[in-house]
Amino acid sequence: MNKSLTRSIGFWLLLVLSLASAGVGGWLIAGQVGTMTSTLLDGTATGIEVYVGQSLVVVGAALLGAGVIGLLIAIALTAVQALMPATAPVVVEPIDWTSEADADDAIEPATDDDPTLVASKDETIVENDEPQNGSSGSTATATKISVK
């Protein structure tokens, strides 16, 4: 089944979560770098602002990177979907329940009195003299050939 990419929940989750990750990562980086820059230039920077700020910038960079990679994957999926040929729809004809089957084409069941089975008007199947031993139905079993 070849369904549209815009109808895929996984694609939309990838796109939305990638955008959210990139946005949160960019917000963390911009906020912490701005705080660190202003406090370092003023000379009022504390260890918490500098060292914790660096850690938050690293976390923000990881989130931003994951979001960018997710967006690139979403773009690649869109490009691959555009390059794949569209399958032609299968035309299914409705069943005509009003027509009856021809009596000549029907298979007549065998009776216990008659050893022949009537398959159709052209071919006749005759039962074997002995029943077949085993249930494999192979040629060796049906013709009593010993296979070793």
PDB file of all heavy atoms in Angstrom, residues 13 15 24 26 34 42-43 45 59 61 64 72 81 92 99 106 109 113-114 117 122 126 131 134 140-141 148:
ATOM      1  N   LEU A  13       4.692  13.678  12.960  1.00  0.00           N
ATOM      2  CA  LEU A  13       5.385  13.674  14.263  1.00  0.00           C
ATOM      3  C   LEU A  13       6.855  14.052  14.098  1.00  0.00           C
ATOM      4  O   LEU A  13       7.396  14.823  14.882  1.00  0.00           O
ATOM      5  CB  LEU A  13       5.267  12.305  14.925  1.00  0.00           C
ATOM      6  CG  LEU A  13       3.963  12.008  15.649  1.00  0.00           C
ATOM      7  CD1 LEU A  13       3.944  10.566  16.138  1.00  0.00           C
ATOM      8  CD2 LEU A  13       3.776  12.956  16.810  1.00  0.00           C
ATOM      9  N   LEU A  15       8.163  15.871  11.739  1.00  0.00           N
ATOM     10  CA  LEU A  15       8.250  17.279  11.389  1.00  0.00           C
ATOM     11  C   LEU A  15       7.993  18.188  12.589  1.00  0.00           C
ATOM     12  O   LEU A  15       8.766  19.123  12.859  1.00  0.00           O
ATOM     13  CB  LEU A  15       7.258  17.591  10.258  1.00  0.00           C
ATOM     14  CG  LEU A  15       7.376  18.945   9.591  1.00  0.00           C
ATOM     15  CD1 LEU A  15       8.731  19.087   8.922  1.00  0.00           C
ATOM     16  CD2 LEU A  15       6.268  19.117   8.578  1.00  0.00           C
ATOM     17  N   VAL A  24      13.458  24.889  20.720  1.00  0.00           N
ATOM     18  CA  VAL A  24      13.886  24.898  22.126  1.00  0.00           C
ATOM     19  C   VAL A  24      15.407  24.996  22.210  1.00  0.00           C
ATOM     20  O   VAL A  24      15.949  25.732  23.053  1.00  0.00           O
ATOM     21  CB  VAL A  24      13.361  23.639  22.857  1.00  0.00           C
ATOM     22  CG1 VAL A  24      14.014  23.474  24.217  1.00  0.00           C
ATOM     23  CG2 VAL A  24      11.852  23.714  22.998  1.00  0.00           C
ATOM     24  N   GLY A  26      17.483  26.357  19.993  1.00  0.00           N
ATOM     25  CA  GLY A  26      17.881  27.724  19.640  1.00  0.00           C
ATOM     26  C   GLY A  26      17.574  28.720  20.746  1.00  0.00           C
ATOM     27  O   GLY A  26      18.368  29.635  21.021  1.00  0.00           O
ATOM     28  N   GLY A  34      23.496  34.990  25.579  1.00  0.00           N
ATOM     29  CA  GLY A  34      23.230  36.403  25.875  1.00  0.00           C
ATOM     30  C   GLY A  34      23.494  36.732  27.336  1.00  0.00           C
ATOM     31  O   GLY A  34      24.096  37.773  27.652  1.00  0.00           O
ATOM     32  N   ASP A  42      30.125  42.870  31.948  1.00  0.00           N
ATOM     33  CA  ASP A  42      29.885  43.764  33.082  1.00  0.00           C
ATOM     34  C   ASP A  42      30.835  43.474  34.242  1.00  0.00           C
ATOM     35  O   ASP A  42      30.997  44.318  35.122  1.00  0.00           O
ATOM     36  CB  ASP A  42      28.450  43.621  33.607  1.00  0.00           C
ATOM     37  CG  ASP A  42      27.419  44.143  32.634  1.00  0.00           C
ATOM     38  OD1 ASP A  42      27.805  44.846  31.689  1.00  0.00           O
ATOM     39  OD2 ASP A  42      26.231  43.822  32.822  1.00  0.00           O
ATOM     40  N   GLY A  43      31.395  42.291  34.268  1.00  0.00           N
ATOM     41  CA  GLY A  43      32.240  41.882  35.380  1.00  0.00           C
ATOM     42  C   GLY A  43      31.441  41.368  36.553  1.00  0.00           C
ATOM     43  O   GLY A  43      31.960  41.237  37.658  1.00  0.00           O
ATOM     44  N   ALA A  45      29.757  38.389  36.472  1.00  0.00           N
ATOM     45  CA  ALA A  45      29.472  36.968  36.215  1.00  0.00           C
ATOM     46  C   ALA A  45      29.840  36.129  37.432  1.00  0.00           C
ATOM     47  O   ALA A  45      30.867  36.329  38.072  1.00  0.00           O
ATOM     48  CB  ALA A  45      30.256  36.488  35.008  1.00  0.00           C
ATOM     49  N   VAL A  59      23.520  21.547  25.895  1.00  0.00           N
ATOM     50  CA  VAL A  59      22.223  20.872  25.777  1.00  0.00           C
ATOM     51  C   VAL A  59      21.401  21.504  24.651  1.00  0.00           C
ATOM     52  O   VAL A  59      20.777  20.796  23.842  1.00  0.00           O
ATOM     53  CB  VAL A  59      21.465  20.904  27.124  1.00  0.00           C
ATOM     54  CG1 VAL A  59      20.025  20.443  26.952  1.00  0.00           C
ATOM     55  CG2 VAL A  59      22.181  20.063  28.156  1.00  0.00           C
ATOM     56  N   ALA A  61      22.561  23.053  22.055  1.00  0.00           N
ATOM     57  CA  ALA A  61      23.174  22.702  20.773  1.00  0.00           C
ATOM     58  C   ALA A  61      22.787  21.291  20.351  1.00  0.00           C
ATOM     59  O   ALA A  61      22.548  21.030  19.160  1.00  0.00           O
ATOM     60  CB  ALA A  61      24.687  22.837  20.857  1.00  0.00           C
ATOM     61  N   LEU A  64      19.207  21.534  19.156  1.00  0.00           N
ATOM     62  CA  LEU A  64      19.176  22.209  17.867  1.00  0.00           C
ATOM     63  C   LEU A  64      19.676  21.277  16.756  1.00  0.00           C
ATOM     64  O   LEU A  64      19.070  21.196  15.674  1.00  0.00           O
ATOM     65  CB  LEU A  64      20.019  23.485  17.907  1.00  0.00           C
ATOM     66  CG  LEU A  64      20.092  24.298  16.615  1.00  0.00           C
ATOM     67  CD1 LEU A  64      18.725  24.838  16.246  1.00  0.00           C
ATOM     68  CD2 LEU A  64      21.096  25.427  16.762  1.00  0.00           C
ATOM     69  N   LEU A  72      15.994  17.683   8.089  1.00  0.00           N
ATOM     70  CA  LEU A  72      16.635  17.178   6.879  1.00  0.00           C
ATOM     71  C   LEU A  72      16.075  15.811   6.477  1.00  0.00           C
ATOM     72  O   LEU A  72      15.892  15.534   5.283  1.00  0.00           O
ATOM     73  CB  LEU A  72      18.151  17.103   7.068  1.00  0.00           C
ATOM     74  CG  LEU A  72      18.879  18.449   7.165  1.00  0.00           C
ATOM     75  CD1 LEU A  72      20.353  18.232   7.467  1.00  0.00           C
ATOM     76  CD2 LEU A  72      18.690  19.246   5.896  1.00  0.00           C
ATOM     77  N   GLN A  81       9.598  10.540  -1.821  1.00  0.00           N
ATOM     78  CA  GLN A  81       8.189  10.303  -2.166  1.00  0.00           C
ATOM     79  C   GLN A  81       7.843  10.936  -3.507  1.00  0.00           C
ATOM     80  O   GLN A  81       7.080  10.381  -4.286  1.00  0.00           O
ATOM     81  CB  GLN A  81       7.282  10.858  -1.061  1.00  0.00           C
ATOM     82  CG  GLN A  81       5.813  10.657  -1.312  1.00  0.00           C
ATOM     83  CD  GLN A  81       5.386   9.215  -1.139  1.00  0.00           C
ATOM     84  OE1 GLN A  81       6.032   8.449  -0.466  1.00  0.00           O
ATOM     85  NE2 GLN A  81       4.284   8.863  -1.754  1.00  0.00           N
ATOM     86  N   VAL A  92     -11.780  -2.308  -9.710  1.00  0.00           N
ATOM     87  CA  VAL A  92     -12.472  -3.503  -9.262  1.00  0.00           C
ATOM     88  C   VAL A  92     -13.909  -3.423  -9.757  1.00  0.00           C
ATOM     89  O   VAL A  92     -14.628  -2.471  -9.457  1.00  0.00           O
ATOM     90  CB  VAL A  92     -12.443  -3.607  -7.718  1.00  0.00           C
ATOM     91  CG1 VAL A  92     -13.190  -4.838  -7.266  1.00  0.00           C
ATOM     92  CG2 VAL A  92     -11.025  -3.615  -7.225  1.00  0.00           C
ATOM     93  N   SER A  99     -26.782 -12.649 -11.997  1.00  0.00           N
ATOM     94  CA  SER A  99     -26.564 -13.696 -12.998  1.00  0.00           C
ATOM     95  C   SER A  99     -26.302 -15.027 -12.306  1.00  0.00           C
ATOM     96  O   SER A  99     -25.695 -15.096 -11.248  1.00  0.00           O
ATOM     97  CB  SER A  99     -25.389 -13.332 -13.894  1.00  0.00           C
ATOM     98  OG  SER A  99     -24.201 -13.381 -13.146  1.00  0.00           O
ATOM     99  N   ALA A 106     -20.708 -26.071 -13.954  1.00  0.00           N
ATOM    100  CA  ALA A 106     -20.717 -26.477 -12.548  1.00  0.00           C
ATOM    101  C   ALA A 106     -20.078 -27.847 -12.393  1.00  0.00           C
ATOM    102  O   ALA A 106     -20.177 -28.706 -13.260  1.00  0.00           O
ATOM    103  CB  ALA A 106     -22.146 -26.511 -12.025  1.00  0.00           C
ATOM    104  N   PRO A 109     -20.887 -33.312  -7.959  1.00  0.00           N
ATOM    105  CA  PRO A 109     -20.238 -34.131  -6.931  1.00  0.00           C
ATOM    106  C   PRO A 109     -20.301 -35.611  -7.287  1.00  0.00           C
ATOM    107  O   PRO A 109     -21.199 -36.072  -7.983  1.00  0.00           O
ATOM    108  CB  PRO A 109     -21.053 -33.832  -5.669  1.00  0.00           C
ATOM    109  CG  PRO A 109     -22.379 -33.386  -6.183  1.00  0.00           C
ATOM    110  CD  PRO A 109     -22.118 -32.703  -7.493  1.00  0.00           C
ATOM    111  N   ASP A 113     -21.811 -44.759  -5.502  1.00  0.00           N
ATOM    112  CA  ASP A 113     -22.062 -45.862  -6.423  1.00  0.00           C
ATOM    113  C   ASP A 113     -21.155 -45.784  -7.648  1.00  0.00           C
ATOM    114  O   ASP A 113     -20.719 -46.807  -8.173  1.00  0.00           O
ATOM    115  CB  ASP A 113     -23.519 -45.848  -6.889  1.00  0.00           C
ATOM    116  CG  ASP A 113     -24.484 -45.988  -5.707  1.00  0.00           C
ATOM    117  OD1 ASP A 113     -24.066 -46.563  -4.679  1.00  0.00           O
ATOM    118  OD2 ASP A 113     -25.626 -45.508  -5.827  1.00  0.00           O
ATOM    119  N   ASP A 114     -20.860 -44.600  -8.113  1.00  0.00           N
ATOM    120  CA  ASP A 114     -20.084 -44.418  -9.329  1.00  0.00           C
ATOM    121  C   ASP A 114     -18.646 -44.047  -8.964  1.00  0.00           C
ATOM    122  O   ASP A 114     -18.422 -43.033  -8.305  1.00  0.00           O
ATOM    123  CB  ASP A 114     -20.727 -43.308 -10.168  1.00  0.00           C
ATOM    124  CG  ASP A 114     -20.067 -43.172 -11.528  1.00  0.00           C
ATOM    125  OD1 ASP A 114     -19.336 -44.102 -11.932  1.00  0.00           O
ATOM    126  OD2 ASP A 114     -20.301 -42.140 -12.183  1.00  0.00           O
ATOM    127  N   LEU A 117     -15.463 -39.432 -11.067  1.00  0.00           N
ATOM    128  CA  LEU A 117     -15.852 -38.080 -10.694  1.00  0.00           C
ATOM    129  C   LEU A 117     -16.020 -37.286 -11.974  1.00  0.00           C
ATOM    130  O   LEU A 117     -15.172 -37.318 -12.852  1.00  0.00           O
ATOM    131  CB  LEU A 117     -14.771 -37.421  -9.828  1.00  0.00           C
ATOM    132  CG  LEU A 117     -14.496 -38.084  -8.486  1.00  0.00           C
ATOM    133  CD1 LEU A 117     -13.302 -37.407  -7.839  1.00  0.00           C
ATOM    134  CD2 LEU A 117     -15.701 -37.959  -7.595  1.00  0.00           C
ATOM    135  N   ASP A 122     -15.842 -32.070 -20.379  1.00  0.00           N
ATOM    136  CA  ASP A 122     -14.770 -32.531 -21.243  1.00  0.00           C
ATOM    137  C   ASP A 122     -13.825 -33.540 -20.596  1.00  0.00           C
ATOM    138  O   ASP A 122     -13.198 -34.318 -21.288  1.00  0.00           O
ATOM    139  CB  ASP A 122     -13.940 -31.347 -21.736  1.00  0.00           C
ATOM    140  CG  ASP A 122     -14.776 -30.433 -22.616  1.00  0.00           C
ATOM    141  OD1 ASP A 122     -15.731 -30.942 -23.234  1.00  0.00           O
ATOM    142  OD2 ASP A 122     -14.472 -29.237 -22.684  1.00  0.00           O
ATOM    143  N   VAL A 126     -10.794 -40.727 -12.898  1.00  0.00           N
ATOM    144  CA  VAL A 126     -11.108 -42.048 -12.372  1.00  0.00           C
ATOM    145  C   VAL A 126     -10.326 -42.235 -11.082  1.00  0.00           C
ATOM    146  O   VAL A 126      -9.132 -41.931 -11.002  1.00  0.00           O
ATOM    147  CB  VAL A 126     -10.722 -43.154 -13.387  1.00  0.00           C
ATOM    148  CG1 VAL A 126     -11.036 -44.515 -12.830  1.00  0.00           C
ATOM    149  CG2 VAL A 126     -11.434 -42.913 -14.704  1.00  0.00           C
ATOM    150  N   PRO A 131      -6.531 -46.976  -1.967  1.00  0.00           N
ATOM    151  CA  PRO A 131      -6.376 -45.623  -1.425  1.00  0.00           C
ATOM    152  C   PRO A 131      -4.894 -45.294  -1.238  1.00  0.00           C
ATOM    153  O   PRO A 131      -4.079 -46.173  -1.022  1.00  0.00           O
ATOM    154  CB  PRO A 131      -7.114 -45.679  -0.089  1.00  0.00           C
ATOM    155  CG  PRO A 131      -7.121 -47.122   0.276  1.00  0.00           C
ATOM    156  CD  PRO A 131      -7.133 -47.882  -1.005  1.00  0.00           C
ATOM    157  N   GLY A 134      -0.619 -42.315   3.311  1.00  0.00           N
ATOM    158  CA  GLY A 134       0.085 -41.069   3.601  1.00  0.00           C
ATOM    159  C   GLY A 134      -0.728 -39.886   3.130  1.00  0.00           C
ATOM    160  O   GLY A 134      -1.681 -40.009   2.378  1.00  0.00           O
ATOM    161  N   ALA A 140       5.768 -39.662  -5.634  1.00  0.00           N
ATOM    162  CA  ALA A 140       6.330 -40.932  -5.179  1.00  0.00           C
ATOM    163  C   ALA A 140       5.310 -41.708  -4.372  1.00  0.00           C
ATOM    164  O   ALA A 140       5.192 -42.926  -4.505  1.00  0.00           O
ATOM    165  CB  ALA A 140       7.581 -40.681  -4.342  1.00  0.00           C
ATOM    166  N   THR A 141       4.550 -41.061  -3.543  1.00  0.00           N
ATOM    167  CA  THR A 141       3.543 -41.748  -2.745  1.00  0.00           C
ATOM    168  C   THR A 141       2.388 -42.208  -3.629  1.00  0.00           C
ATOM    169  O   THR A 141       1.890 -43.318  -3.486  1.00  0.00           O
ATOM    170  CB  THR A 141       3.009 -40.813  -1.650  1.00  0.00           C
ATOM    171  OG1 THR A 141       4.110 -40.337  -0.889  1.00  0.00           O
ATOM    172  CG2 THR A 141       2.037 -41.523  -0.750  1.00  0.00           C
ATOM    173  N   LYS A 148      14.713 -43.073  -1.733  1.00  0.00           N
ATOM    174  CA  LYS A 148      15.668 -43.219  -0.624  1.00  0.00           C
ATOM    175  C   LYS A 148      16.783 -42.236  -0.742  1.00  0.00           C
ATOM    176  O   LYS A 148      17.194 -41.795  -1.732  1.00  0.00           O
ATOM    177  CB  LYS A 148      16.231 -44.629  -0.594  1.00  0.00           C
ATOM    178  CG  LYS A 148      15.169 -45.643  -0.213  1.00  0.00           C
ATOM    179  CD  LYS A 148      15.748 -47.000  -0.133  1.00  0.00           C
ATOM    180  CE  LYS A 148      14.644 -47.990   0.190  1.00  0.00           C
ATOM    181  NZ  LYS A 148      15.109 -49.336   0.307  1.00  0.00           N
TER     182      LYS A 148
END
